[in-house]
Amino acid sequence: MAWTKVMPANPVVAVAGATGAVGREMLKCLEALNFPASEVRVLASARSAGQKLPFAGCGQVPAGELTVEEMTEESFKGVDIALFSAGASISKKFRQACYDAGAVMIDNSSAFRVEKDVPLVVPEVNAADIAWHNGVIANPNCTTIQMVVALEPLRALGHIDRIIVSSYQSASGAGAKGMAELEDQTGKYLAGEPFEPSAFAHQIAFNCIPHIDVFVDGDYLNDVPEGYTKEEWKMVVETKKIFGDNTVEVAPTCVRVPVLRCHSESINVEFDRPVNIEDVKNALANGTHVVLEDDPANNVYPMPGLHRGAFDTFVGRVRRDHTVADNRGVAMWVVADQLLRGAALNAVYIAQALLPEA
């Protein structure tokens, strides 16, 4: 399928899965960035049809309420950009309808991320890949997005040979039910009342769970080594695709922690040459949508409790990794709001990149 349509300056935008957590954040991002839409349609399942969603307005769309419509194949007629956050099966179901309608699907699910003809895009890193889309552009996994945004400024200092990353992922990564379970369990735990986990495999209150998504046995993606979860292997494959570099090695461990919102990551980077820590900090301080919070003497470093609702990616605890020879190693701590930076906001940044240049 060859894509030839030229994007109008004031596109019609549809948000598929608008009543979900990420869908609602997509609407907020459209508002905050004053996206130049001529119309915004909100789509969801039949049970949500008729629901009213408040909207502060953007572009040519006035402030008021948007009425949720049931998503069908006919929903995309006249749509230019379709922001999808409705799950992989729904994205696959409506891919052809979007293409036939001339709508570019920007998909937040894992449905198309590893397909060779689908760009996997973080605009601060590989916006140029958008040019070869054929109707679908994939949004990476939230943990991958915040990591590559933080690492992109450092790639000018040398080739990144190896990344060791441990994620500390908030309950909201499992959706509204994950947040509700953390709040409910916390209250019951403190009151000494019994509870049974449902959203997570184990108790999440006052606990850490080193298990996100299913464990895979080699059938998913590229011959997954034994013992990794799907969430972890996404970081491996997606980082290589976004960087356009199959030589970078990524060793991830993903952990669910009792935090309501914002993911954190401990990252150790090995370069192919010596790097100066001050050069690393300067590169981060000048990175696109990266904020350096690094004054440990005054207890200044990123924390998830401080950055809910923030658009930027925050980096601190920048230091030498003394276990890597020849001053080639750097360690850092990265925090971002995964519903925004790791999902909704990245999708809207992609939509912005689709707009014709003024």
Side-chain angles (χ1 to χ4, degrees):
M1 296 185 292
W3 192 265
T4 58
K5 178 179 174 179
V6 176
M7 186 62 62
N10 300 106
V12 175
V13 177
V15 178
T19 57
V22 174
R24 290 175 184 270
E25 296 295 345
M26 286 174 170
L27 291 173
K28 292 178 182 178
C29 290
L30 292 171
E31 297 167 345
L33 297 174
N34 194 23
F35 190 85
S38 60
E39 179 187 347
V40 175
R41 300 180 191 176
V42 286
L43 310 174
S45 64
R47 66 179 179 271
S48 297
Q51 184 176 338
K52 304 289 185 180
L53 299 179
F55 190 64
C58 71
Q60 299 172 358
V61 184
E65 291 184 326
L66 301 175
T67 302
V68 177
E69 303 172 23
E70 179 184 356
M71 183 162 47
T72 69
E73 282 77 6
E74 304 300 312
S75 299
F76 301 98
K77 289 185 177 179
V79 171
D80 299 299
I81 298 173
L83 303 173
F84 264 73
S85 187
S89 61
I90 298 299
S91 297
K92 291 176 180 178
K93 177 180 178 181
F94 288 101
R95 178 180 187 175
Q96 190 63 44
C98 286
Y99 183 85
D100 292 343
V104 180
M105 174 190 283
I106 301 173
D107 183 49
N108 191 57
S109 79
S110 61
F112 311 115
R113 289 174 183 160
V114 298
E115 290 194 6
K116 291 183 179 179
D117 67 338
V118 176
L120 183 68
V121 174
V122 178
E124 295 91 336
V125 182
N126 64 330
D129 285 354
I130 291 173
W132 52 267
H133 81 83
N134 288 310
V136 179
I137 302 168
N139 220 23
N141 192 41
C142 53
T143 48
T144 306
I145 291 174
Q146 74 180 69
M147 181 174 75
V148 300
V149 167
L151 294 182
E152 176 61 16
L154 305 185
R155 296 174 73 203
L157 303 179
H159 182 265
I160 294 176
D161 290 343
R162 184 178 185 225
I163 303 164
I164 300 175
V165 54
S166 296
S167 71
Y168 302 72
Q169 297 180 221
S170 63
S172 55
K177 66 182 185 301
M179 296 177 73
E181 183 154 310
L182 173 57
E183 292 174 330
D184 179 67
Q185 283 188 10
T186 299
K188 289 179 177 177
Y189 182 94
L190 292 173
E193 299 174 0
F195 54 81
E196 289 292 330
S198 59
F200 303 107
H202 301 280
Q203 169 188 327
I204 185 60
F206 302 97
N207 194 25
C208 295
I209 307 171
H211 174 189
I212 300 176
D213 212 325
V214 296
F215 284 91
V216 286
D217 58 9
D219 294 330
Y220 178 77
L221 301 177
N222 297 329
D223 297 325
V224 185
E226 183 178 357
Y228 283 86
T229 66
K230 186 176 178 180
E231 181 81 0
E232 289 162 349
W233 209 247
K234 287 175 187 176
M235 297 190 75
V236 176
V237 176
E238 291 177 12
T239 300
K240 292 174 182 285
K241 185 172 181 178
I242 294 163
F243 281 167
D245 182 0
N246 284 324
T247 69
V248 60
E249 297 293 346
V250 184
T253 301
C254 293
V255 182
R256 189 73 71 192
V257 298
V259 170
L260 282 174
R261 183 159 164 172
C262 291
H263 289 353
S264 304
E265 295 174 353
S266 171
I267 302 175
N268 290 59
V269 185
E270 181 177 336
F271 292 87
D272 68 342
R273 66 196 67 182
V275 293
N276 181 282
I277 290 297
E278 287 307 312
D279 290 342
V280 169
K281 292 182 180 181
N282 288 335
L284 290 166
N286 290 290
T288 304
H289 300 144
V290 175
V291 175
L292 182 65
E293 288 186 341
D294 192 62
D295 185 8
N298 291 300
N299 300 327
V300 175
Y301 28 69
M303 291 181 286
L306 300 179
H307 294 309
R308 174 175 181 159
F311 278 16
D312 290 316
T313 296
F314 299 85
V315 185
R317 296 295 317 279
V318 181
R319 61 202 186 276
R320 175 78 58 205
D321 180 345
H322 67 89
T323 67
V324 181
D326 302 323
N327 293 329
R328 294 182 294 108
V330 174
M332 65 184 70
W333 174 253
V334 178
V335 173
D337 186 320
Q338 90 288 349
L339 291 177
L340 287 170
R341 178 63 269 190
L345 181 64
N346 197 73
V348 177
Y349 280 159
I350 293 172
Q352 284 185 321
L354 284 169
L355 296 173
E357 294 184 7

